């Protein structure tokens, strides 16, 4: 079973009889809020917006959550981040996660030294500033040709930590990185798009999930409507950073 199918099945299992209250698709993030439930985000790849959203005429507001979640398995389109935001709204607000959650900076949970090399798939400016001068090298892999960048890394055995943007779940490229991550001791999936579902990732190279919980759905809804991004979300306090260790079997 693919990681994407696993996410859908887990979300459906907790989403029965639940409905979507409202959704928004902005140039940067999709936002979803459930009736009598939580809310969450998913990154929007700008390339997706080149496809007109009117390719489908249906509305997602008041839809059964499980029907929207299933659209995540369709070919990548503007529906994909919408479906992922509903998946995250279902999975990230489970009460049992509170016992496992660690607040704050995920790097505080991982020992690093000046001898370490770090792989960063997607650019995280605040983390880059923290890593500068503390590790030997940071390999940054971004568009337009991320796999070409990976091929330039001489020795993956020297890399002790990988930080992977959860935007890879919005464009469904995460699985393609797994072969490169298998031998890296610590791999963090990071960003507001991260599903806080450690059970889904236990058979993958991911060792930490670094996502966020929504503290103020109404304000977050307004910020997404205004086209704001992650910096504004955290600065305003509508998101709280949460880290969960993925237990391996």
């Amino acid at each position: 079973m693919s990681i994407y199918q696993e996410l859908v099945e887990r979300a459906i299992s907790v989403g029965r009889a639940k409905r979507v209250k409202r959704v928004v698709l902005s140039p940067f993030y999709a936002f979803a809020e459930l009736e009598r439930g939580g809310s969450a985000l998913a990154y929007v790849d700008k390339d997706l917006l080149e496809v007109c959203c009117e390719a489908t005429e249906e509305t997602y507001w008041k839809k059964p959550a499980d029907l929207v979640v299933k659209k995540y398995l369709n070919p990548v389109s503007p529906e994909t981040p919408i479906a992922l935001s509903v998946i995250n709204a279902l999975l990230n607000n489970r009460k049992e996660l509170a016992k496992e959650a660690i607040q704050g900076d995920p790097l505080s949970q991982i020992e690093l030294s000046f001898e370490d090399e770090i792989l960063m798939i997607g650019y995280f400016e605040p983390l880059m500033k923290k890593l500068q001068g503390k590790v030997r090298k940071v390999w940054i892999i971004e568009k337009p040709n991320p796999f070409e960048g990976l091929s330039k890394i001489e020795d993956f055995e020297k890399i002790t930590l990988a930080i992977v943007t959860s935007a890879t779940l919005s464009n469904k490229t995460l699985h393609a990185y797994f072969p490169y991550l298998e031998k890296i001791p610590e791999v963090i999936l990071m960003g507001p798009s991260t599903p806080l579902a450690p059970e889904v990732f236990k058979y993958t190279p991911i060792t930490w999930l670094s996502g966020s919980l929504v503290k103020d759905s109404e304000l977050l809804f307004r910020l997404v409507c205004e086209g704001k991004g992650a910096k504004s979300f955290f600065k305003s306090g509508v998101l709280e950073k949460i880290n969960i260790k993925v237990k391996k079997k």
Side-chain angles (χ1 to χ4, degrees), residues 1 24 37 72 123 147 174 178 209 219:
M1 183 184 300
V24 173
Y72 186 62
Y123 183 60
F147 296 102
L174 178 60
F178 284 165
L209 301 174
L219 180 54

Side-chain angles (χ1 to χ4, degrees), residues 38-238:
S39 56
L41 297 167
Y43 178 80
V44 174
D45 191 324
K46 293 182 180 63
D47 293 342
L48 294 179
L49 299 183
E50 294 180 2
V51 180
C52 181
C53 294
E54 292 183 8
T56 174
E57 295 182 357
E58 66 178 310
T59 179
Y60 306 99
W61 293 44
K62 308 299 181 181
K63 277 271 189 181
D66 60 335
L67 295 183
V68 181
V69 163
K70 289 177 182 177
K71 294 181 181 297
Y72 186 62
L73 297 179
N74 294 342
V76 175
S77 74
E79 289 184 320
T80 308
I82 292 174
L84 180 59
S85 66
V86 176
I87 289 172
N88 289 344
L90 290 166
L91 296 178
N92 293 8
N93 294 281
R94 295 173 293 169
K95 292 181 180 179
E96 60 266 28
L97 292 177
K99 298 178 182 178
E100 307 174 49
I102 301 171
Q103 296 179 355
D105 184 353
L107 293 184
S108 65
Q109 305 300 314
I110 298 172
E111 291 187 12
L112 295 174
S113 74
F114 185 73
E115 299 301 315
D116 290 322
E117 294 189 14
I118 311 298
L119 172 62
M120 190 178 289
I121 299 176
Y123 183 60
F124 296 89
E125 183 179 358
L127 286 186
M128 188 63 188
K129 291 179 178 179
K130 290 182 179 181
L131 291 169
Q132 285 177 332
K134 295 183 179 179
V135 297
R136 180 185 297 275
K137 184 177 180 63
V138 180
W139 298 85
I140 300 173
I141 307 299
E142 289 190 285
K143 288 184 174 184
N145 298 306
F147 296 102
E148 182 180 317
L150 284 167
S151 68
K152 295 179 180 179
I153 297 177
E154 299 172 358
D155 189 353
F156 273 86
E157 291 187 1
K158 291 183 178 179
I159 297 175
T160 55
L161 168 66
I163 303 168
V164 184
T165 173
S166 53
T168 53
L169 286 171
S170 284
N171 55 29
K172 292 200 283 191
T173 59
L174 178 60
H175 68 289
Y177 291 104
F178 284 165
Y180 298 92
L181 302 174
E182 286 177 350
K183 294 183 179 180
I184 300 176
E186 297 284 5
V187 181
I188 305 174
L189 184 64
M190 181 179 293
S193 305
T194 303
L196 298 177
E199 69 275 18
V200 171
F201 296 92
K202 63 185 177 183
Y203 297 115
T204 75
I206 306 298
T207 60
W208 283 93
L209 301 174
S210 182
S212 56
L213 295 179
V214 177
K215 308 304 292 182
D216 187 334
S217 292
E218 187 60 37
L219 180 54
L220 181 58
F221 172 76
R222 286 167 44 199
L223 292 174
V224 173
C225 287
E226 293 172 2
K228 298 294 195 298
K231 287 184 179 179
S232 293
F233 302 154
F234 287 111
K235 186 176 181 179
S236 64
V238 298

